[in-house]
């Protein structure tokens, strides 16, 4: 099976400190993958590289059927290529309504002049309502995002990701600060999303990762320590030493 | 495009988000603003010397007309700063440039008229070359030359200079913005850069070799060619009307820009630039569009202002002018268009009251506070107070009146443990 995203041999150093060290990673077009690892392992930095926020010192990042390199593209261009990202801290536009947040994320022409002329079509509104139902915010479309609960903000951000219709979704610690019930819903959401696209989830919560029921990659000091099913990696002695045993 | 937004709204689908309501319906403040502006214009017209009772002096009508132009440039400032988060401290430079561009035509045309009438008695009318030389002598004599600088090539053509009102500041903003935004200069560094641009422009204009008469600036601009037969009272009310119309159009345009998805994106850029980028929007492109658009609005405001002021000199472009502009918008309330208008009108009128010597001095016994000297201190103090205690400015009073409760987050997000805090806020 050809891979959607291939990262090979990337390294990046911040002031001499190697945050990512000769890391290789790949994911298929409709796959769910969890990345775990201790604090400072380089999980967020890995996402920064894929989304163009940080440029690696060496290595390759190739994308899609035609294997185009992402390294020379701007962040916004990479997003338009179909890579969506959810940040560790929920970042929605708090001063704007749920509706406005979702409309902004909808997959439409993003040039300033076409956005200036944009008028909400029935199709777009239907899509927004569909998404809002999926993330449980159908009744809050006109609510300002700033007064949503923490969990609702996380969902809204996931909804905005889905609205972009990305082919790859990068989700950084979605369960942080969620209640048990909210976590279960989030697992459902992510699993459903992964039926049609690639999803990479970074999470510390082992219970959450177990429920995702997918292949797991363990990062440590900027490179892959182990990869496989959760049961497989949790039996790995290295993983126990650096991460689980602490 | 604007007109289509005014199309009668289709009734909203029951229970659905408001999709098809017209632009004005969604923005009642636009109608209120236009109504107030219309009433104000009517009142001034009825009070002016040329068209009404004469209760308002010609110079006061001019002051009011100029104030409307300042309101327009404040709207531009609010768009770029209040909505898009770019604290430009250079928009008054664009305002001044617009004034210079129209001033060139005004001065040229009027001087030519004077030269022509002076030579009318001669047997032979002057040849075009002689005429140019005489006009050049008249305009550039003060800076010790009669050579006509190349930048005056189109000065005899009103359409050309009107085009330059838009093109010169527009291109400057485009090039400057492209360089600055492309290198991701943001925040205070960008503000400093815009101040540097303003200072450089002012210093350049101060030179006699700039071709724009150095520190003499352009003068006699109140004498409008083609209206010389009209008294100033008549000219002043016409410019007042033009300024009111420009403000109305500018307000509606700005409201339309910020009402839709474009407004959503630029407010997103203000609040979290990186997030907008990861949504796939080219943030730099948006900043460039808004920076250039607002520079053009500022230039048009300036082109209407200086014929009423009568004179433009490089001192007008001094960096401090652009800072005042930011102060007006902050005091009026940024991020809402009427706030910018209130701030500009209120502060500039109060300012001319204080500095005009009308404000009574305060005798403390040991010291007399003369407002002509102390006004700036008072203004600076008010600015600090507003920034600290009323960040929403005067416009924030509207929220109080309408009992609109907005969570005051001081920029922080509501974390998982703040449920009760959130409830308290919603009450
Ligand atoms: N811009 C930066 N400048 C300097 N150091 C950085 C930068 N970004 C990350 N680092 C460092 O790189 C290392 C990896 O950080 P990263 O945020 O990727 O870890 P993480 O795996 O996401 O950790 P966590 O689980 O705490 O979120 C850390 O030691 C961090 O301090
Ligand atoms: Mg992280």
């Amino acid at each position: 099976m050809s891979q959607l995203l291939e990262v090979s041999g990337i390294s990046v150093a911040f002031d001499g400190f190697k945050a990512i060290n000769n890391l290789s990673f790949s994911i298929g077009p409709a796959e769910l993958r969890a990345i775990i690892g201790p604090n400072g392992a380089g999980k967020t930095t890995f996402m920064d590289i894929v989304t163009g926020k940080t440029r690696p010192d060496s290595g390759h990042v190739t994308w899609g059927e035609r294997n185009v390199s992402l390294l020379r593209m701007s962040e916004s261009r990479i997003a338009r290529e179909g890579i969506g990202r959810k940040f560790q801290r929920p970042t929605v536009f708090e001063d704007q309504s749920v509706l406005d947040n979702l409309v902004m994320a909808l997959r439409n022409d993003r040039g300033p002049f076409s956005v200036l002329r944009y008028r909400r079509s029935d199709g777009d509104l239907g899509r927004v309502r569909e998404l809002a139902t999926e993330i449980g915010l159908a009744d809050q479309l006109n609510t300002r995002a700033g007064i949503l609960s923490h969990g609702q903000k996380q969902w809204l951000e996931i909804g905005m990701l889905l609205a972009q219709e990305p082919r790859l979704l990068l989700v950084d610690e979605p369960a942080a600060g969620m209640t048990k019930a909210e976590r279960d819903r989030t697992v459902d959401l992510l699993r459903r999303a992964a039926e049609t696209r690639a999803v990479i989830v970074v999470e510390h919560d082992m219970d959450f990762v177990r429920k995702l029921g997918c292949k797991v990659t363990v990062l440590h000091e900027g490179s892959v320590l182990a990869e496989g099913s959760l049961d497989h990696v949790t039996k790995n002695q290295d993983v126990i030493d650096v991460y689980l045993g602490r | 495009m604007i007109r289509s937004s005014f199309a009668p709204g289709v009734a909203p689908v029951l229970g659905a988000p408001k999709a098809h309501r017209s632009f004005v319906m969604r923005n009642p403040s636009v109608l209120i603003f236009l109504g107030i502006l219309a009433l104000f214009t009517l009142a001034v017209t009825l009070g002016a010397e040329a068209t009404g009772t004469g209760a308002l002096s010609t110079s006061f009508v001019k002051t009011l007309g100029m104030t409307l132009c300042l309101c327009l440039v404040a709207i531009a400032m609010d768009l770029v700063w209040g909505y898009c988060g770019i604290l430009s401290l250079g928009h008054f430079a664009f305002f001044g440039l617009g004034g210079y561009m129209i001033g060139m035509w005004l001065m040229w045309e009027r001087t030519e008229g004077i030269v022509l009438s002076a030579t009318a008695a001669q047997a032979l009318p002057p040849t075009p070359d002689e005429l140019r030389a005489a006009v050049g002598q008249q305009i550039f004599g003060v800076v010790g030359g009669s050579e006509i600088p190349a930048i005056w090539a189109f000065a005899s053509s009103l359409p050309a200079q009107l085009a330059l009102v838009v093109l010169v500041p527009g291109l400057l903003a485009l090039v400057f913005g492209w360089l600055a935004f492309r290198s991701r200069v943001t925040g205070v560094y960008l503000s400093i850069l815009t101040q540097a641009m303003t200072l450089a422009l002012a210093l350049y204009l101060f030179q006699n070799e700039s071709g724009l008469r150095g520190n003499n600036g352009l003068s006699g601009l109140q004498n409008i060619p083609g209206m010389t037969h009209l008294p100033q009272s008549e000219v002043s009310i016409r410019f007042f009307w033009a300024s009111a119309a420009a403000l109305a159009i500018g307000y509606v345009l700005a409201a339309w820009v910020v009402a839709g998805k474009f407004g959503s994106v630029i407010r997103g850029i203000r609040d979290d630039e990186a997030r907008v980028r990861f949504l796939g929007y080219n943030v730099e492109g948006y900043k460039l569009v808004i920076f250039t658009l607002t520079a053009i609005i500022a230039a048009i405001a300036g082109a209407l202002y200086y014929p009423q002021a009568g004179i433009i000199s490089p001192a007008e472009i001094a960096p401090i002018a652009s800072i005042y502009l930011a102060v007006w918008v902050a005091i009026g309330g940024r991020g809402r268009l009427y706030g910018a208008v209130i701030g500009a009108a209120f502060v500039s009128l109060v300012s001319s009251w204080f500095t005009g010597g009308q404000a009574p001095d305060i005798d403390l016994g040991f010291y007399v506070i003369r407002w002509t000297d102390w006004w700036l201190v008072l203004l600076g103090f008010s600015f600090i107070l507003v920034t600290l205690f009323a960040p929403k400015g005067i416009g924030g009073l509207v929220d109080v009146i309408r009992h609109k409760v907005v969570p005051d987050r001081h920029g922080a997000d509501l974390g998982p443990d703040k449920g009760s805090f959130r409830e308290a806020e919603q009450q």
Side-chain angles (χ1 to χ4, degrees):
Chain A
M1 186 174 69
S2 98
Q3 299 290 291
L4 178 66
L5 176 79
E6 286 230 39
V7 174
S8 53
I10 50 167
S11 297
V12 67
F14 299 113
D15 308 321
F17 170 74
K18 282 220 162 190
I20 297 283
N21 190 4
N22 195 19
L23 175 83
S24 296
F25 177 93
S26 69
I27 189 168
E31 189 187 338
L32 181 59
R33 178 78 63 89
I35 297 185
I36 58 174
N39 291 113
K43 304 179 297 290
T44 302
T45 308
F46 163 73
M47 289 193 172
D48 285 348
I49 290 172
V50 173
T51 53
K53 193 177 174 203
T54 302
R55 305 276 164 210
D57 302 329
S58 58
H60 303 280
V61 180
T62 53
W63 167 255
E65 289 73 24
R66 287 181 296 121
N67 288 321
V68 290
S69 170
L70 294 180
L71 293 182
R72 302 194 64 104
M73 293 184 192
S74 67
E75 293 103 309
S76 55
R77 178 70 211 287
I78 291 175
R80 290 196 297 271
E81 281 286 322
I83 299 183
R85 172 170 189 185
K86 192 203 147 316
F87 288 84
Q88 202 161 338
R89 182 173 60 86
T91 43
V92 295
F93 300 105
E94 309 222 337
D95 271 341
Q96 306 191 35
S97 67
V98 170
L99 178 74
D100 286 340
N101 270 281
L102 287 171
V103 167
M104 217 191 299
L106 278 183
R107 184 173 175 160
N108 279 319
D109 197 335
R110 270 143 161 65
F113 296 104
S114 48
V115 167
L116 206 46
R117 286 191 306 266
Y118 172 83
R119 300 201 70 192
R120 282 178 209 151
S121 66
D122 286 334
D124 284 353
L125 266 183
R127 177 92 184 100
V128 165
R129 247 176 260 130
E130 219 172 84
L131 281 163
T133 312
E134 194 164 344
I135 55 174
L137 293 174
D139 296 334
Q140 268 110 326
L141 274 180
N142 290 318
T143 308
R144 287 158 64 105
I147 58 175
L148 295 177
S149 76
H150 185 82
Q152 286 174 320
K153 280 185 201 166
Q154 299 267 38
W155 283 333
L156 174 56
E157 197 174 1
I158 293 174
M160 288 166 73
L161 277 185
L162 297 176
Q164 278 175 264
E165 295 174 29
R167 298 182 61 198
L168 168 65
L169 243 138
L170 302 171
V171 192
D172 207 346
E173 303 199 18
M178 281 190 176
T179 63
K180 174 92 181 44
E182 286 175 334
R183 279 165 197 240
D184 291 347
R185 285 200 59 172
T186 308
V187 168
D188 275 354
L189 247 169
L190 292 173
R191 289 179 63 137
R192 239 178 304 136
E195 284 164 11
T196 49
R197 56 175 71 82
V199 179
I200 301 176
V201 184
V202 165
E203 189 50 71
H204 280 294
D205 185 271
M206 278 302 157
D207 189 41
F208 188 87
V209 173
R210 185 172 305 282
K211 285 191 181 128
L212 286 176
C214 63
K215 191 170 162 185
V216 177
T217 300
V218 187
L219 284 197
H220 176 57
E221 290 180 351
S223 37
V224 176
L225 188 66
E227 204 163 66
S229 72
L230 186 63
D231 288 334
H232 171 79
V233 300
T234 47
K235 285 196 198 96
N236 183 311
Q237 191 56 43
D238 291 340
V239 176
I240 295 171
D241 288 347
V242 305
Y243 186 41
L244 304 172
R246 290 178 314 151
Chain B
M1 271 184 291
I2 296 178
R3 195 171 318 133
S4 72
S5 324
F6 281 104
V10 180
V13 190
L14 255 189
K18 299 136 192 151
H20 297 296
R21 293 203 324 192
S22 74
F23 164 69
V24 172
M25 286 287 285
R26 275 182 288 121
N27 298 277
S29 70
V30 173
L31 267 190
I32 296 172
F33 176 81
L34 292 179
I36 293 175
L37 183 63
L39 284 179
F40 177 67
T41 307
L42 185 67
V44 172
T45 306
L46 293 178
E49 273 176 46
T51 49
T53 61
L56 303 175
S57 71
T58 295
S59 75
F60 191 61
V61 171
K62 280 190 183 181
T63 303
L64 292 177
M66 282 151 64
T67 303
L68 294 181
C69 298
L70 297 179
C71 293
L72 182 55
V73 69
I75 286 178
M77 183 69 194
D78 199 18
L79 274 183
V80 76
W81 180 34
Y83 284 89
C84 199
I86 306 168
L87 176 52
S88 163
L89 297 177
H91 266 59
F92 224 81
F94 302 126
F95 183 86
L97 271 182
Y100 263 105
M101 290 306 127
I102 197 66
M104 287 163 81
W105 175 78
L106 289 169
M107 208 166 169
W108 181 275
E109 200 68 10
R110 169 151 183 276
T111 312
E112 197 176 73
I114 293 171
V115 170
L116 278 177
S117 60
T119 53
Q122 290 174 9
L124 281 175
T127 65
D129 280 347
E130 284 168 352
L131 183 61
R132 274 181 71 79
V135 172
Q137 180 62 41
Q138 284 278 327
I139 295 180
F140 301 104
V142 288
V143 287
S146 56
E147 194 83 347
I148 297 168
I151 51 171
W152 286 72
F154 305 107
S156 60
S157 155
L158 177 61
Q161 286 301 136
L162 283 178
L164 289 180
V165 164
V166 170
L167 288 177
V168 170
L171 279 177
L172 177 63
L174 195 67
V175 171
F176 177 89
W178 186 73
L179 290 171
F181 300 139
R182 194 187 54 135
S183 349
R184 302 250 170 117
V185 181
T186 51
V188 68
Y189 298 100
L190 188 90
S191 305
I192 292 171
L193 214 57
T194 55
Q195 278 274 282
M197 173 200 80
T198 311
L199 183 63
L201 186 67
L203 290 179
Y204 171 73
L205 289 172
F206 264 120
Q207 294 183 310
N208 284 348
E209 299 80 55
S210 68
L212 289 164
R213 299 183 8 127
N215 64 350
N216 302 289
L218 308 180
S219 54
L221 308 183
Q222 74 278 21
N223 304 303
I224 315 297
M227 292 192 195
T228 39
H229 57 286
L230 296 175
Q232 279 295 311
S233 58
E234 178 71 35
V235 173
S236 64
I237 192 71
R238 288 194 189 185
F239 266 91
F240 176 85
W241 289 333
S243 305
L247 178 59
I249 294 169
Y251 193 95
V252 173
L253 176 77
W256 176 74
V257 164
V258 299
K261 188 166 161 184
F262 189 91
S264 215
V265 174
I266 61 173
R267 280 185 293 149
I269 291 173
R270 175 192 68 192
D271 294 339
D272 193 340
E273 182 174 319
R275 185 74 182 90
V276 178
R277 215 171 261 138
F278 288 116
L279 277 178
Y281 291 93
N282 177 358
V283 167
E284 287 66 43
Y286 278 80
K287 286 184 175 178
L288 198 54
V289 167
I290 205 78
F291 193 74
T292 308
L293 173 74
T294 52
I296 290 172
I297 295 175
I300 292 171
L304 278 165
Y305 179 94
Y306 287 103
Q308 304 181 67
I311 180 164
I312 179 168
S313 73
E316 302 277 324
I317 293 178
I320 189 73
S322 294
I323 296 180
Y324 283 150
L325 185 55
V327 172
W328 297 343
V329 174
I331 289 182
R334 69 196 133 108
R336 54 180 96 213
L337 295 172
Y338 57 86
V341 172
I342 292 171
F346 178 73
V347 182
S348 70
L349 286 177
V350 170
S351 163
S352 58
W353 186 67
F354 275 114
T355 54
Q358 280 122 305
D361 294 340
I362 297 177
D363 195 345
L364 297 177
F366 58 95
Y367 185 82
V368 180
I369 295 181
R370 286 183 217 293
W371 286 115
T372 40
D373 301 331
W374 279 87
W375 155 243
L376 278 185
V377 178
L378 180 68
L379 180 63
F381 208 64
S382 327
F383 177 59
I384 293 170
L385 287 181
V386 165
T387 313
L388 289 180
F389 300 110
K392 287 193 241 159
I394 302 173
L397 290 175
V398 175
D399 288 351
V400 175
I401 294 165
R402 288 167 61 199
H403 299 289
K404 182 173 164 191
V405 179
V406 188
D408 183 6
R409 296 171 289 105
H410 300 290
D413 61 338
L414 293 165
D417 309 322
K418 297 190 185 153
S420 52
F421 175 51
R422 194 165 52 241
E423 277 167 24
E425 271 178 342
Q426 276 176 311
Q427 280 156 14

